[in-house]
Amino acid sequence: MSLIAYNKPPLSLQDQARLLISRGLQGITESELVQVLSNISYYRLRGYTYPYQNNAVPGSPFLTGVCWAYIKNDYEFDAGLRTIVSEALSYIEIAVRTQMEYHLSLSHGSRWYEDSALCNSQNIFRDNLDELRKHWNRSREVFKEHYLNKYDSSVSPPAWMIFETTTFGTVSKTFSNLKNNIPAKTAVAQYFGFSRNTMRVLVSWFQHLNLVRNICAHYSRLFTRSFIVRPMIPTHRPTKWVDSIPRQDRIYFSLCIITKLLDSCAPNYQFKEKLKELMKKVRRDQLPSLGFPENWREQDLFT
């Protein structure tokens, strides 16, 4: 199949607003829409108008009765969702770093991340080590400057320093590549309520949450996204869990994972309360697109 070159010309803000209104968008004037489009690009906004348009026909006209209030509500809900998810993930990420630094360093020394014998894949080990060193070299943290000014810089920094300057992606990949028979890895898993036998589930959760974190960091659409990196569903029901996961690729499962992990690392953080308050913005007919069952509030995990 031959592909065509993208040749749509750029449009002025006024022309963008006229185009949306000509397609049937109601409840907002052209001048008001111009103001919106000066702050939120047409292409970004398209992710929120898409569900309200008939995209099967040329011009993608808006469905009958669609008004701007629906789109505005979805956009604001998504922004609020990214905010509470980002804050929740900060607790989880810090706890993962801390647990790895602590247990692995006690068992295998302060520079255990340089020990390839602890890892399954030597190629992944080398890639992770390169990433750790690259992020360390780019870091401007005060503790790094102190280390370089006081200690022999030809010796690698301890894990509790270098892992504080890298990304959660590198942290999760390092954890994943550790051999499962290492007691220190099991100790990290146990902190989050997992065992050596269920380690694969936790690893998949960390990898998925890294994707969610990156989406939030780039302010991308979160609430109706279909995730490519899909976390594993536990085969054995954890304590305080949900009856089912209707969609493995939707944000509801991500929120279940976040809630479960927070029970271990930030039990006093009011995530469930914030989520329930935010979900008041969502219409009942929108729940399936987010992967939510109708009775989600009554699930053990969220009570």
Side-chain angles (χ1 to χ4, degrees):
M1 181 180 67
S2 60
L3 302 177
I4 61 173
Y6 187 93
N7 59 4
K8 293 182 180 180
L11 299 176
S12 67
L13 295 178
Q14 290 77 15
D15 286 341
Q16 292 175 28
R18 292 189 194 107
L19 182 61
L20 287 170
I21 291 174
S22 72
R23 290 176 173 173
L25 180 59
Q26 302 174 9
I28 188 170
T29 66
E30 182 180 313
S31 61
E32 290 171 337
L33 194 49
V34 166
Q35 184 60 44
V36 170
L37 290 166
S38 68
N39 299 317
I40 307 169
S41 75
Y42 181 97
Y43 198 73
R44 176 180 289 272
L45 196 62
R46 175 74 166 122
Y48 300 89
T49 65
Y50 187 91
Y52 298 106
Q53 294 175 262
N54 184 352
N55 301 286
V57 301
S60 301
F62 282 90
L63 303 174
T64 303
V66 169
C67 63
W68 168 250
Y70 294 167
I71 299 161
K72 180 175 182 289
N73 181 77
D74 289 356
Y75 188 87
E76 291 176 347
F77 167 76
D78 199 31
L81 184 63
R82 286 195 303 269
T83 297
I84 67 168
V85 166
S86 294
E87 187 175 29
L89 288 177
S90 70
Y91 289 102
I92 296 170
E93 179 177 344
I94 291 170
V96 175
R97 292 174 190 268
T98 301
Q99 289 295 308
M100 285 178 61
E101 293 161 5
Y102 176 70
H103 289 291
L104 272 299
S105 296
L106 278 182
S107 299
H108 302 281
S110 60
R111 296 171 181 85
W112 57 266
Y113 60 88
E114 293 184 317
D115 186 356
S116 63
L118 299 176
C119 299
N120 292 305
S121 167
Q122 296 305 300
N123 288 336
I124 295 175
F125 163 76
R126 286 189 291 270
D127 290 344
N128 289 340
L129 189 57
D130 287 345
E131 286 292 301
L132 282 169
R133 289 170 173 167
K134 180 179 70 175
H135 296 148
W136 171 260
N137 291 333
R138 290 192 315 197
S139 173
R140 294 295 179 267
E141 292 284 356
V142 173
F143 63 79
K144 177 202 169 183
E145 299 304 319
H146 172 74
Y147 180 83
L148 295 179
N149 290 332
K150 186 173 182 178
Y151 300 99
D152 181 1
S153 60
S154 66
V155 179
S156 300
W160 54 86
M161 289 188 188
I162 199 167
F163 274 93
E164 294 298 327
T165 63
T166 195
T167 65
F168 185 53
T170 302
V171 171
S172 64
K173 285 186 289 186
T174 300
F175 182 76
S176 174
N177 196 37
L178 291 170
K179 293 178 179 177
N180 282 356
N181 61 359
I182 297 174
K185 184 176 183 180
T186 301
V188 176
Q190 288 174 336
Y191 171 85
F192 289 103
F194 288 78
S195 66
R196 177 178 170 180
N197 292 333
T198 57
M199 189 83 70
R200 289 177 61 240
V201 176
L202 183 61
V203 166
S204 78
W205 284 16
F206 288 165
Q207 292 170 339
H208 174 73
L209 292 184
N210 180 59
L211 172 63
V212 174
R213 181 192 184 281
N214 291 339
I215 290 170
C216 292
H218 291 91
Y219 312 106
S220 299
R221 180 175 48 82
L222 182 64
F223 79 124
T224 56
R225 182 178 293 271
S226 175
F227 295 107
I228 298 175
V229 180
R230 301 177 182 182
M232 293 178 63
I233 298 175
T235 53
H236 300 288
R237 179 186 171 94
T239 56
K240 291 196 68 177
W241 189 235
V242 294
D243 293 337
S244 66
I245 302 295
R247 293 283 300 272
Q248 195 174 353
D249 63 339
R250 296 290 169 161
I251 191 63
Y252 175 66
F253 191 13
S254 310
L255 296 170
C256 290
I257 291 171
I258 291 169
T259 304
K260 182 61 180 173
L261 296 181
L262 286 174
D263 282 345
S264 298
C265 63
N268 296 322
Y269 175 57
Q270 302 293 305
F271 180 72
K272 286 181 276 194
E273 289 73 16
K274 293 183 179 184
L275 177 61
K276 288 176 182 178
E277 182 63 29
L278 183 63
M279 286 295 292
K280 292 177 182 178
K281 288 180 171 287
V282 176
R283 301 188 310 276
R284 184 175 178 180
D285 64 283
Q286 290 181 299
L287 290 177
S289 66
L290 281 71
F292 276 70
E294 288 195 11
N295 66 341
W296 73 273
R297 292 174 184 270
E298 286 74 51
Q299 299 292 306
D300 287 347
L301 184 63
F302 293 103
T303 56

